[in-house]
Amino acid sequence: MEERRKQEGTTKMVYLVRHAESTHNVYAASHPHDDPLHWDARISPLGHTQVEQLREKVKSIQVDLIVCSPMSRAIQTMLGGFKDKIDQGVPVVIHPLCREAIENACDIGRPAAELLADFAQLDFSQIASTPVWWFVPPALAHTINEKNYQEVFESSRWHEPPESIAERVSAFKAWLLDQPQNRIAVVSHSTFLRDLLGAKEKMENCHVEPMPLQAGEPMPSQQNT
């Protein structure tokens, strides 16, 4: 009972970071209703500049854990923006709960083996046993696999429903609270971070938003009821 009281009284500081500008972001700025099929979109030339600016921005932030979405644009942002922290030995966890909600091909991930080929220094054990670790409608769950996932998305096109995103937000908050570290950076995506914060607007690329998190606090969905 005493340990539970201590845990509930501890406030964690979570630093939320949206990934740098991606190639999909560039295309969407002038073609908002089209999907250029930039599968697991990487960051743009401007995105690389934003990452360097992020690296300077977070120098004064103390973190004990870095959590990152398995999407490539988030990983690129994390590896560059938090390079100094990683070099100092701050551990990194690649976690699928903070992935982006699916709207376009850029939000479709890649199997762990492909990600490991590009980012060999990272641990993808959280997704290694589930090749298709992003949201798939239940009706397609037995059809899709690591070889046909792009073809299936092009032919079926789906969005992740709000209730699925809300479940991930709640599960991710619970996971954060369960970690022993109290100063945590999270590199994620606009829709997921908006819902995690319970905000109305999406964050800008490479924006850093501090979010106090305490056990026992209601989730955004609970606050709005």
Side-chain angles (χ1 to χ4, degrees):
M1 181 66 74
E2 182 65 26
E3 183 60 33
R4 182 177 178 181
R5 287 198 191 101
K6 287 180 181 178
Q7 184 179 12
E8 290 183 349
T10 300
T11 298
K12 295 177 182 284
M13 182 55 70
V14 183
Y15 298 95
L16 304 176
V17 181
R18 183 188 174 191
H19 64 80
E21 181 188 71
S22 72
T23 57
H24 177 90
N25 294 150
V26 174
Y27 184 89
S30 56
H31 304 82
H33 304 297
D34 295 338
D35 185 352
L37 298 180
H38 292 183
W39 302 99
D40 188 24
R42 312 321 192 258
I43 63 176
S44 69
L46 175 59
H48 285 281
T49 300
Q50 292 172 338
V51 167
E52 288 303 312
Q53 294 168 344
L54 175 65
R55 184 175 176 182
E56 291 299 314
K57 192 184 302 183
V58 302
K59 277 187 175 180
S60 60
I61 296 175
Q62 298 299 313
V63 296
D64 309 305
L65 176 66
I66 301 167
V67 185
C68 185
S69 157
M71 312 299 297
S72 292
R73 58 193 181 275
I75 294 174
Q76 289 178 294
T77 302
M78 179 269 297
L79 288 175
F82 287 89
K83 183 181 186 306
D84 298 324
K85 311 294 185 188
I86 297 169
D87 288 347
Q88 291 165 9
V90 176
V92 173
V93 173
I94 304 297
H95 207 300
L97 280 176
C98 61
R99 66 186 184 269
E100 182 58 305
I102 291 180
E103 296 181 8
N104 295 290
C106 64
D107 305 318
I108 300 293
R110 290 188 289 159
E114 291 185 29
L115 291 168
L116 188 60
D118 287 348
F119 308 107
Q121 70 272 49
L122 297 176
D123 178 2
F124 291 98
S125 58
Q126 292 273 5
I127 60 172
S129 62
T130 310
V132 180
W133 45 264
W134 49 94
F135 175 81
V136 175
L140 296 174
H142 298 295
T143 303
I144 197 167
N145 58 52
E146 67 270 29
K147 297 186 183 299
N148 69 3
Y149 65 92
Q150 294 181 359
E151 177 186 346
V152 172
F153 183 76
E154 281 194 72
S155 62
S156 302
R157 303 292 307 193
W158 65 83
H159 286 199
E160 184 173 4
E163 57 270 23
S164 173
I165 304 169
E167 288 176 5
R168 284 200 289 118
V169 165
S170 294
F172 187 61
K173 278 194 170 185
W175 183 86
L176 289 173
L177 287 167
D178 198 43
Q179 303 314 299
Q181 299 90 348
N182 289 325
R183 300 174 299 183
I184 305 173
V186 175
V187 183
S188 184
H189 308 267
S190 61
T191 299
F192 183 80
L193 292 175
R194 181 198 64 194
D195 290 4
L196 181 61
L197 285 163
K200 293 182 179 180
E201 303 294 331
K202 294 182 177 182
M203 290 167 52
E204 296 294 326
N205 296 110
C206 281
H207 175 72
V208 180
E209 183 69 27
M211 181 186 76
L213 184 62
Q214 187 169 356
E217 288 183 346
M219 301 302 178
S221 58
Q222 296 172 317
Q223 291 172 338
N224 295 333
T225 56

